[in-house]
Amino acid sequence: MFVDSHCHLSFPELREHLPAIRAAMAEARVDRALCICTTLEEFDEVHALAREHDNFWATAGVHPDNEGVREPTVDDLIALAARPKVVALGETGLDYYRLGTRTVADMAWQRERFRVHIRAARATGKPLVIHTRSAAEDTLRLIDEEGAAEVGGVFHCFTETRDVARAVLERGFYLSFSGILTFKNAAELREVAAEVPLERCLIETDSPYLAPVPHRGKQNNPSYVPYVAAELARLKGLSVETVAQATRRNFERLFGIPAAD
Ligand SMILES: [Zn+2]
Ligand SMILES: [Zn+2]
């Protein structure tokens, strides 16, 4: 019934508990999950999850925060995107949150990496899983300059303002909400989420991070995505069932995954 559109089950702290996590997912009626790739080095493990389990899919990409890892070329990403059950490019995007002593100008490598992902997405026709933090303006600018709206995608773990949400929607992208939606200090985000049309919403855990209330601070896993659905349903005055069904259909539509029923 529920779909987790963004999780990191290849990370050792989750992978070592995979049988227990899969059992918890079945118990919580979380039928499907998209396993997100963050480095080329990690791809084989992410892909193995999708190959070994009918209800998992995978992405191919290098996270903007990862430094000192192999830098992808457009051809690298096109080749990985052609593998079975790879449904998107990412996660990719821009993250200026941890600049440290650097300036935005110093992050040209990050912008170039994002452009490479967008070019690969356009070449393959597959959508983008976008991570943006403290960098919304540049993220939107690069999306426009590279024509990313042609393939679309999702702004995952959305925490931006109403104006950014509008800009994302205008470009035809989806917004994915995580456990942050349940956090006490996220009142502004809840207002934004209440306004985003349900047909453009996805839900995710971003596990092992960002466990929703009442598990906040603990290790997250895909079986907790119903808490995000419940909060989104509450904000929109809809049933959890309605939100679960709509976000599942959006997931199938965006990633070209056949309907479960
Ligand atoms: Zn991310
Ligand atoms: Zn992620």
Side-chain angles (χ1 to χ4, degrees):
M1 169 178 174
F2 299 96
V3 171
D4 184 355
S5 71
H6 191 115
C7 59
H8 296 280
L9 289 177
S10 60
F11 287 9
E13 63 267 43
L14 291 181
R15 212 182 32 165
E16 66 182 358
H17 303 301
L18 194 62
I21 289 171
R22 287 184 59 82
M25 287 173 68
E27 178 82 9
R29 296 194 298 155
V30 180
D31 299 317
R32 296 171 149 196
L34 181 55
C35 301
I36 303 291
C37 180
T38 63
T39 62
L40 294 182
E41 290 84 345
E42 178 197 29
F43 175 80
D44 283 342
E45 282 170 17
V46 178
H47 193 227
L49 288 163
R51 279 187 291 120
E52 287 163 16
H53 304 283
D54 283 351
N55 58 342
F56 289 162
W57 285 264
T59 68
V62 182
H63 192 290
D65 281 345
N66 286 330
E67 298 182 60
V69 297
R70 192 147 78 79
E71 197 59 42
T73 63
V74 174
D75 286 343
D76 287 334
L77 293 172
I78 290 173
L80 297 180
R83 307 279 290 275
K85 294 186 85 180
V86 177
V87 295
L89 279 302
E91 62 180 297
T92 181
L94 300 175
D95 192 328
Y96 299 160
Y97 184 71
R98 288 187 192 84
L99 284 181
T101 56
R102 296 175 290 190
T103 66
V104 166
D106 295 329
M107 306 306 274
W109 60 274
Q110 226 183 48
R111 291 184 288 277
E112 182 55 30
R113 183 185 285 176
F114 185 27
R115 288 183 192 277
V116 163
H117 282 79
I118 298 173
R119 288 168 194 165
R122 289 188 59 181
T124 60
K126 293 192 175 170
L128 290 152
V129 174
I130 292 176
H131 169 110
T132 186
R133 193 169 186 199
S134 307
E137 202 178 310
D138 274 6
T139 302
L140 291 166
R141 180 173 60 81
L142 264 59
I143 279 177
D144 291 345
E145 287 178 8
E146 294 290 337
E150 185 185 293
V151 289
V154 55
F155 276 63
H156 105 88
C157 196
F158 192 83
T159 52
E160 302 290 333
T161 62
R162 173 177 282 123
D163 285 347
V164 175
R166 251 177 228 145
V168 168
L169 290 169
E170 273 169 20
R171 285 160 178 77
F173 284 73
Y174 290 74
L175 287 77
S176 179
F177 296 99
S178 68
I180 293 176
L181 206 57
T182 68
F183 292 0
K184 209 170 185 170
N185 58 358
E188 210 181 309
L189 180 62
R190 280 189 282 276
E191 284 175 28
V192 174
E195 289 177 11
V196 174
L198 185 58
E199 63 269 21
R200 294 286 199 85
C201 291
L202 295 178
I203 51 172
E204 67 174 82
T205 58
D206 204 11
S207 48
Y209 314 116
L210 301 172
V213 173
H215 300 288
R216 191 173 180 182
K218 292 191 224 154
Q219 186 180 79
N220 199 1
N221 76 75
S223 76
Y224 292 164
V225 82
Y227 294 105
V228 182
E231 183 59 26
L232 194 57
R234 192 186 68 80
L235 292 170
K236 292 187 175 300
L238 299 168
S239 69
V240 179
E241 185 85 24
T242 301
V243 167
Q245 193 174 83
T247 53
R248 191 187 69 220
R249 293 222 174 99
N250 296 345
F251 175 83
E252 292 162 352
R253 192 184 321 120
L254 175 60
F255 296 115
I257 290 170
D261 42 29

